[in-house]
Amino acid sequence: MTDDLVDRGRRVRPAVAADVPAVKDVTDTAYHPYIARIGVVPQPMEADHAADVAAGKVFVTEEPGSGRVDGLVVVEARAGHLFLDSIAVRPDAHGKGVGRRLLAFVDAHARALGLPEVRLYTNAMMWENQKIYPKYGYEVVERRVDGPYDRIHYRKRLL
């Protein structure tokens, strides 16, 4: 789904090349606090943001009125599901519905692509996420260690 979605003045739109610095900044700002906790740099901070944007995988939302990117998702259509690779919200935008809006967009995007579920994983040390995802209909599938990352895998079946 490439149409912009609007919710209380907040749009979710495909990122463009000019957004790459903001995508990097929001991602780094959102994930940086986890470095000390998990002992490694979170994978989204090492992503090739320009390549992800060019491939159409990144969608951003902006602060109403300012046009400043305050949240984003990185998604990839795979066989039988949409993979939510990363979600990042600028810390000063927490509590404003940015994450909720992005997760709703991910669901709508998967449905528009005809995909029956969304999958994601989070680091086991990012315990805040383990409280958030179930509230939005995600269920734990498995816990698996992938290299230096101890990950909890989730899925959300879409009706």
Side-chain angles (χ1 to χ4, degrees), residues 1-6 11-16 52-60 73 75 77 82 101 105-114:
M1 172 177 200
T2 57
D3 296 66
D4 293 351
L5 295 179
V6 178
R11 306 184 308 138
V12 177
R13 63 167 176 80
V16 296
D52 286 345
V53 167
K57 297 179 182 180
V58 183
F59 295 83
V60 299
V73 290
V75 295
L82 184 67
R101 182 72 199 113
F105 170 80
V106 169
D107 291 355
H109 189 57
R111 285 184 180 105
L113 294 172

Side-chain angles (χ1 to χ4, degrees), residues 55-123:
K57 297 179 182 180
V58 183
F59 295 83
V60 299
T61 185
E62 300 170 338
E63 183 177 40
S66 77
R68 177 180 148 205
V69 172
D70 59 2
L72 62 98
V73 290
V74 181
V75 295
E76 182 179 343
R78 295 188 177 171
H81 69 279
L82 184 67
F83 178 63
L84 173 52
D85 188 34
S86 177
I87 182 168
V89 176
R90 187 180 298 283
D92 62 2
H94 287 181
K96 297 180 181 179
V98 177
R100 179 175 51 248
R101 182 72 199 113
L102 289 166
L103 288 173
F105 170 80
V106 169
D107 291 355
H109 189 57
R111 285 184 180 105
L113 294 172
L115 298 171
E117 70 181 39
V118 177
R119 296 183 189 172
L120 63 87
Y121 54 73
T122 189
N123 191 285

Side-chain angles (χ1 to χ4, degrees), residues 27-28 31 34-35 38 40-49 52 83 85-86 121 123 126 146-149 151:
T27 300
D28 288 351
Y31 284 93
Y34 295 113
I35 295 172
I38 66 175
V40 294
V41 174
Q43 205 167 21
M45 292 177 73
E46 297 181 329
D48 184 339
H49 303 295
D52 286 345
F83 178 63
D85 188 34
S86 177
Y121 54 73
N123 191 285
M126 295 178 181
D146 297 311
Y149 303 103
R151 295 177 171 153

Side-chain angles (χ1 to χ4, degrees), residues 139-151:
E139 61 182 346
V140 173
V141 175
E142 68 177 322
R143 182 170 178 169
R144 185 172 68 223
V145 175
D146 297 311
Y149 303 103
D150 182 4
R151 295 177 171 153

